[in-house]
Amino acid sequence: MTSTEKTITLAHGAGGGAMHALIDGLFLSAFGDMPLLQKEDQARLPLAGLQARGDRLALTTDSFVVSPLEFPGGDIGKLAVCGTLNDLAVGGAVPLYLSAAFIIEEGLPLALLERLVGTMAEAARQAGVTIVTGDTKVVERGMADKLFINTTGVGVIPAGLALSVAAARPGDKVLINGHVGDHGAAIMLAREELGLEGKLASDCAALHTLIQPVLVQCAGVRCLRDATRGGLGGVLNEMAEASSVEIRLTEQDLPIRPQTRALCELLGLEPLLLANEGLAAMVIAPEQAGQALALWHAHPLGRHARIIGEVRAPASPGRLSLLGPYGGARLLEVPHGLQLPRIC
């Protein structure tokens, strides 16, 4: 990478000097983690440290293709870190390591790539995880939409902890930690295709420091999911089906920002099916719901946490219903397609 270069070229992925300059001058400089600096073809991680934290290894991978790359509240770099860490956290794992693979389209401005890598590095540092290995590929113009990122996360699950999407029981309470639909609504506004303006920001955040205290202090946590694609409605439908129960939410208890609700009403969308990137749904034994709610309220990412519903006996198993303000209930089913593509 020379001082005259302003965009990514095919040479940056060809294995020669331009590629090595990009890796050394940008990725290694930003991430700066020792396993990465050793430039081996794999990260070499000590087993003793993993075994001291738990009895099972958690592994997850995710690819991020959001458009636009930068949006209010975050960008694809922050999203790639937080999204993968959250997939570990809702399984009860303590996140430790990340890999990062970049598919870059020829012509991407280097200044933009530097910003995105910088926010990615900062998100990893704030979350206390290490980016230990990675890969970079460059494709011709038109073969990708500017930048795709894949991250794989490694964590450790403490002994004795067993969360499952199939563990919900009648009487359990349903909690969420914040507002519904912020990410999807913010992405819609950021695309500027609709000619709409607003001040909504994505809720993109790493949730493991919110989740871990509840798991330590509340043995009655049954299920945890981050409500990304498919939204809150999608993950609760999955829980209801896997557990053969009905989950009923109270519409008046759902924290939805007025701007998000207004946008959805204008476009005919369902806020519960919009993507979130900092929202966790938890099913917990009823006697511990108050304690869990208090723990979430004490955390910056849980200030707006609420109990929004309960698990019901399986008279009509595998469904999600919403109780309206006048006492009537309606089913909320997940549509065959997506309300909004390319949101994460």
Side-chain angles (χ1 to χ4, degrees), residues 37-306:
L37 294 175
Q38 292 172 350
K39 297 185 180 180
E40 300 290 351
D41 279 343
Q42 72 293 126
R44 300 170 183 180
L45 309 173
L47 291 177
L50 300 175
Q51 292 170 336
R53 291 174 175 261
D55 62 355
R56 283 155 295 163
L57 192 69
L59 178 69
T60 188
T61 191
D62 206 346
S63 297
F64 298 87
V65 295
V66 66
S67 176
L69 297 178
E70 297 177 296
F71 46 83
D75 59 36
I76 193 173
K78 181 180 180 182
L79 191 63
V81 172
C82 295
T84 297
L85 295 188
N86 291 345
D87 285 345
L88 291 173
V90 295
V94 179
L96 298 175
Y97 305 114
L98 286 174
S99 73
F102 297 79
I103 298 177
I104 310 170
E105 185 181 20
E106 178 189 13
L108 181 74
L110 275 168
L112 174 57
L113 181 60
E114 289 171 358
R115 288 199 304 273
L116 299 173
V117 170
T119 58
M120 190 172 182
E122 180 60 24
R125 281 192 288 269
Q126 289 183 358
V129 298
T130 305
I131 297 174
V132 294
T133 190
D135 182 56
T136 302
K137 295 290 187 296
V138 178
V139 298
E140 294 88 347
R141 293 176 188 269
M143 298 297 290
D145 188 3
K146 303 180 182 67
L147 176 67
F148 300 152
I149 302 177
N150 173 274
T151 45
T152 295
V154 176
V156 178
I157 301 175
L161 184 61
L163 304 178
S164 171
V165 71
R169 305 174 188 175
D172 289 346
K173 300 298 183 181
V174 182
L175 282 69
I176 58 174
N177 65 293
H179 292 97
V180 176
D182 283 1
H183 179 73
I187 293 295
M188 275 193 286
L189 291 175
R191 287 179 181 170
E192 300 179 345
E193 297 170 350
L194 303 173
L196 300 175
E197 295 182 358
K199 295 183 179 179
L200 282 168
S202 169
D203 60 344
C204 183
L207 296 172
H208 57 296
T209 59
L210 172 80
I211 290 170
Q212 287 167 6
V214 177
L215 296 180
V216 170
Q217 299 184 48
C218 300
V221 179
R222 317 276 199 216
C223 318
L224 270 167
R225 278 294 178 92
D226 56 328
T228 52
R229 281 179 299 177
L232 181 63
V235 297
L236 293 182
N237 263 301
E238 289 177 11
M239 289 181 185
E241 182 176 359
S243 299
S244 296
V245 296
E246 178 184 347
I247 294 178
R248 174 160 291 186
L249 307 183
T250 303
E251 286 195 86
Q252 289 179 306
D253 293 335
L254 293 170
I256 303 174
R257 297 186 195 276
Q259 306 97 303
T260 299
R261 192 181 297 278
L263 183 64
C264 288
E265 289 177 354
L266 178 66
L267 299 176
L269 301 177
E270 170 56 66
L272 290 179
L273 299 178
L274 288 183
N276 313 269
E277 289 296 342
L279 187 73
M282 177 169 59
V283 174
I284 188 170
E287 64 272 14
Q288 292 189 327
Q291 182 184 4
L293 187 64
L295 288 168
W296 273 6
H297 281 160
H299 191 283
L301 296 176
R303 288 176 302 204
H304 302 288
R306 291 188 190 178

